[in-house]
């Protein structure tokens, strides 16, 4: 009888310790359901622990993201201020160089049978970019009374070639080009100007290869080698001329017979 009473006392004590809260039971059941879903999607319980660790690390990184962005923005502002300062210094140097370069090229063009030519380097402010804060445009005018306009909009083929020659003449020491090609650079020039063109070609040819397509004998005579370009139907041919063939071609260009 005593043993039975002890058993009843134990069971009552055990039942008193049991948590029979239905809400807590519901929470546990929902958690078990969630664990089963996670196991189906990501693997076994052990793998869920590794996944939790990885996700916690990512969460920690994201929680510090605002601080990282703030630091990066501060560094960006510092670099931008530095670059703007450098760009301003470069722009000041460009203004002086542009004026000097404009005068030199204009003077060179006067000797190339463009006595009224004006060449200018225009600098306009633009947002900071890879080349600074200057938008650079070459302006040109061949006739008096006309203000310089963008070179590509107003210069003829011959004028463009002469501007190109004038620029290349002054940049000969710094230019890295190995070959220069000129076409119709002698159009609408006189004999004296043609001689000047030939001399300039010879000077440039000491530093790099110069190829010139010309119909002017005084220009052609300055070349070290001569090639005759001819076209028949749709076939174009190029022939290197011997000394005697050169003279024959020169006479032909001058309109002389045999």
């Amino acid at each position: 009888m005593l043993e039975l009473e002890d058993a009843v006392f134990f069971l009552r004590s055990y039942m008193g310790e049991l948590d029979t809260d239905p809400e807590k039971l519901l929470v546990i059941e929902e958690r078990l359901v969630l664990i089963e879903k996670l196991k189906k999607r990501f693997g076994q319980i052990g793998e869920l622990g590794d996944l939790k660790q990885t996700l916690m690390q990512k969460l920690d990184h994201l929680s510090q993201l605002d601080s990282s962005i703030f630091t990066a923005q501060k560094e960006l502002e510092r670099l931008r201020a530095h670059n703007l300062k450098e760009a301003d210094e470069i722009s000041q140097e460009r203004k002086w160089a542009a004026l000097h370069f404009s005068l030199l090229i204009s003077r060179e063009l006067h000797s190339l049978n463009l006595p009224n030519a004006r060449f200018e380097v225009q600098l306009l402010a633009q947002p900071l970019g890879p080349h600074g804060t200057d938008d650079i445009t070459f302006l040109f005018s061949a006739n008096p009374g006309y203000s310089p306009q963008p070179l590509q909009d107003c210069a003829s083929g011959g004028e463009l070639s002469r501007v190109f020659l004038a620029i290349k003449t002054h940049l000969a020491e710094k230019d890295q080009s190995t070959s220069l090609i000129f076409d119709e650079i002698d159009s609408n020039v006189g004999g004296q100007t043609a001689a000047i063109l030939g001399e300039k070609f010879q000077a440039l040819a000491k530093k790099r290869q110069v190829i010139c397509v010309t119909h002017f004998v005084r220009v052609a005579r300055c070349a070290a080698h001569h090639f005759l370009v001819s076209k028949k139907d749709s076939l174009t041919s190029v022939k290197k001329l011997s000394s005697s063939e050169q003279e024959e071609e020169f006479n032909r260009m001058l309109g002389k017979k045999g």
Side-chain angles (χ1 to χ4, degrees):
M1 189 67 177
L2 291 175
E3 293 179 354
L4 182 59
E5 289 178 356
D6 289 341
V8 170
F9 177 78
F10 175 78
L11 288 174
R12 286 176 177 174
S13 177
Y14 178 74
M15 290 179 64
E17 295 178 357
L18 290 177
D19 188 353
T20 57
D21 184 355
E23 292 184 0
K24 187 173 182 179
L25 180 61
L26 180 62
V27 171
I28 293 174
E29 290 177 346
E30 289 177 348
R31 187 171 181 81
L32 289 174
V33 171
L34 176 61
I35 291 174
E36 289 299 320
K37 289 181 178 180
L38 292 174
K39 285 170 60 178
K40 290 180 180 180
R41 184 173 179 181
F42 298 106
Q44 298 303 315
I45 294 295
E47 298 175 1
L48 290 179
D50 295 337
L51 176 62
K52 177 183 177 181
Q53 184 65 26
T54 301
L55 293 177
M56 290 295 292
Q57 291 175 355
K58 290 183 177 180
L59 184 62
D60 182 63
H61 172 72
L62 291 174
S63 67
Q64 301 180 31
L65 196 58
D66 287 343
S67 176
S68 299
I69 292 175
F70 178 78
T71 301
Q73 287 176 335
K74 285 293 185 182
E75 179 64 10
L76 179 62
E77 291 172 3
R78 186 190 69 80
L79 291 174
R80 182 179 295 277
H82 172 77
N83 289 344
L84 283 171
K85 181 176 179 296
E86 294 287 322
D88 183 63
E89 293 176 359
I90 292 173
S91 184
Q92 295 303 317
E93 293 289 334
R94 279 177 174 159
K95 288 177 182 177
W96 179 89
L99 177 61
H100 182 65
F101 188 66
S102 298
L103 293 174
L104 289 176
I105 300 304
S106 293
R107 187 183 306 164
E108 190 71 26
L109 290 172
H110 296 165
S111 69
L112 294 173
N113 199 37
L114 292 171
N116 299 306
R118 289 173 58 192
F119 178 87
E120 296 179 8
V121 180
Q122 181 186 67
L123 301 179
L124 296 177
Q126 67 173 7
L128 179 64
H131 303 291
T133 55
D134 297 308
D135 179 40
I136 302 174
T137 304
F138 288 169
L139 305 180
F140 175 77
S141 173
N143 302 306
Y146 290 87
S147 59
Q149 300 295 321
L151 180 64
Q152 69 272 19
D153 296 336
C154 64
S156 65
E159 290 166 347
L160 278 173
S161 294
R162 273 170 271 184
V163 171
F164 181 57
L165 174 59
I167 292 174
K168 288 297 182 180
T169 298
H170 281 286
L171 299 181
E173 297 297 333
K174 298 180 180 180
D175 192 7
Q176 299 300 314
S177 301
T178 57
S179 298
L180 300 175
I181 302 175
F182 298 93
D183 186 15
E184 296 184 4
I185 195 173
D186 53 6
S187 61
N188 301 319
V189 302
Q192 183 179 3
T193 304
I196 294 174
L197 285 174
E199 292 172 0
K200 292 187 181 295
F201 286 144
Q202 284 184 325
L204 280 175
K206 294 178 180 179
K207 299 178 176 64
R208 55 189 45 78
Q209 182 185 55
V210 176
I211 300 174
C212 178
V213 179
T214 181
H215 298 281
F216 216 123
V217 173
R218 297 194 68 172
V219 174
R221 284 191 181 277
C222 295
H225 305 281
H226 297 86
F227 295 83
L228 175 63
V229 181
S230 58
K231 185 174 183 179
K232 184 176 182 180
D233 298 327
S234 60
L235 181 63
T236 301
S237 61
V238 180
K239 175 186 177 183
K240 185 174 182 179
L241 301 179
S242 64
S243 297
S244 59
E245 289 173 329
Q246 290 173 25
E247 291 302 321
E248 290 178 5
E249 184 61 24
F250 291 158
N251 287 333
R252 187 191 67 79
M253 293 168 66
L254 292 170
K256 297 180 179 180
K257 297 182 179 179

